[in-house]
Amino acid sequence: MKKILVLTDLSDTAAQAAQAAVFLCAKMRTNLILLHTWTVQPALAEYPNNSWGIDTLVYGEQSKEKLTYLREELLETISRLPAAEHHASIDWQQEDGGVADCAESRLKKGDIDLIVMGASAGSKLEHLITGSDANAVISRVNRPVLVVPGTSTLEKLKKVTFATDFSA
């Protein structure tokens, strides 16, 4: 069965996008995968008293807890769907690396129909300085990417913008 891949940074905006993906799963009769990525920052040997290793382990455990909590929230939403609707299963994964790299790598399994992610709430200046994860993902993957604004729900889809450069 095909799946919807939800890219999450564990923010409220990403959780809103994941909720929207639940309704898409019901209509598309697909299942859902939550993918959380992070880039490990290496420690310098010159600083022997740093807590880099411990911080990485703590962050990993905290993000597992947040992913588990998000999954439980989504399963609660699924349980409220009408019996005739498809009730998606939800898996989650954590990977080390950039979001676009990890999404591209995950697509190699061939079971993803659609990627869903939340729109960043940052300012134009923040996007200029740090770039855009959505732009990086759209540029790297060969699947449709639905970017959900943080204030939107997809219980009823009203507007869709389709952007393409018509390249393969």
Side-chain angles (χ1 to χ4, degrees), residues 70-90:
L70 176 58
R71 181 178 180 271
E72 289 171 4
E73 284 183 332
L74 298 175
L75 288 172
E76 178 64 30
T77 300
I78 290 169
S79 72
R80 292 191 303 267
L81 292 174
E85 294 279 340
H86 173 71
H87 287 63
S89 67
I90 302 173

Side-chain angles (χ1 to χ4, degrees), residues 36-92:
H36 172 66
T37 66
W38 79 87
T39 304
V40 175
Q41 301 298 319
L44 298 174
E46 292 83 24
Y47 299 103
N49 294 327
N50 69 47
S51 62
W52 170 79
I54 293 171
D55 292 344
T56 300
L57 290 173
V58 168
Y59 179 78
E61 288 304 312
Q62 288 174 342
S63 59
K64 283 179 187 178
E65 290 172 13
K66 289 179 181 180
L67 279 167
T68 300
Y69 180 75
L70 176 58
R71 181 178 180 271
E72 289 171 4
E73 284 183 332
L74 298 175
L75 288 172
E76 178 64 30
T77 300
I78 290 169
S79 72
R80 292 191 303 267
L81 292 174
E85 294 279 340
H86 173 71
H87 287 63
S89 67
I90 302 173
D91 294 318
W92 61 262

Side-chain angles (χ1 to χ4, degrees), residues 8-52:
T8 180
D9 60 3
L10 304 173
S11 67
D12 291 342
T13 301
Q16 185 70 27
Q19 288 287 343
V22 165
F23 296 105
L24 289 172
C25 285
K27 298 299 181 194
M28 295 173 61
R29 305 192 63 74
T30 62
N31 292 320
L32 191 121
I33 298 174
L34 300 169
L35 177 61
H36 172 66
T37 66
W38 79 87
T39 304
V40 175
Q41 301 298 319
L44 298 174
E46 292 83 24
Y47 299 103
N49 294 327
N50 69 47
S51 62
W52 170 79

Side-chain angles (χ1 to χ4, degrees), residues 152-161:
S152 298
T153 63
L154 289 185
E155 293 178 37
K156 291 185 178 181
L157 194 58
K158 295 179 183 176
K159 295 180 184 179
V160 173
T161 301

